[in-house]
Structures are given as structure tokens and as C-alpha cells.
Amino acid sequence: QTHKHIHTTYYRVYKTKQVENISYLWQILYIIGICLHLYYGVYYNLLPIYIPTIIELFFILLLLILKIIYTKRQMNDIVELEI
């Protein structure tokens, strides 16, 4: 259920380029949880667990990168407007 939320969030951020409603704390905690889930899947060699987890980790890292990029762009736009 959560992976569907990540994909729709990723799509919405990519289209709107608005990332104010996504916190860094949530992303870091989510990445930690996904890494622990991945460790569990790899440790017990559970292929149906760790393959989707790798995909989900990819998307959350991509979302983090988009947040950093779009936040910097928004800050630059604000600075340009003030000048």
C-alpha cells in the first residue's frame, strides 16, 4: 500500500515541482525503514521481499533528490525576486 503512495507522490512532485509538503525527517526515517526491510529480505534470502524493496528504495531516493533540487531552485527564485 505504501509503495503506491510513493509512486503517486513521485509523479505529483515531478509534474508540479512543489516539494514543501514533504519533510526531510519523513524521508530519512522512511529510508532507514526501507534499508532495514531490505537487510531482512537479503539476510533470509527472501527474493519476493527484497526485489520490491530495492525498487521502493530507488523511488524514495529519487524523491529525496528531487526535493533537494527543487528546494534549491525555489530558493534561487526567491533570491532573484528580492534583487
Side-chain angles (χ1 to χ4, degrees), residues 13-75:
V13 166
Y14 179 74
K15 285 294 193 186
T16 65
K17 306 208 180 347
Q18 295 179 352
V19 292
E20 299 86 25
N21 58 348
I22 303 172
S23 73
Y24 284 113
L25 177 63
W26 174 82
Q27 287 183 313
I28 296 302
L29 291 175
Y30 196 78
I31 288 170
I32 290 170
I34 291 296
C35 288
L36 291 172
H37 195 253
L38 181 62
Y39 174 76
Y40 173 81
V42 171
Y43 183 78
Y44 289 106
N45 198 23
L46 301 171
L47 194 64
I49 298 281
Y50 71 80
I51 296 300
T53 304
I54 289 171
I55 295 169
E56 192 166 355
L57 183 60
F58 168 76
F59 277 107
I60 191 66
L61 290 174
L62 190 58
L63 192 62
L64 179 64
I65 291 168
L66 287 176
K67 168 125 174 113
I68 292 168
I69 290 171
Y70 293 154
T71 301
K72 284 184 181 182
R73 283 185 186 171
Q74 288 174 354
M75 293 304 290

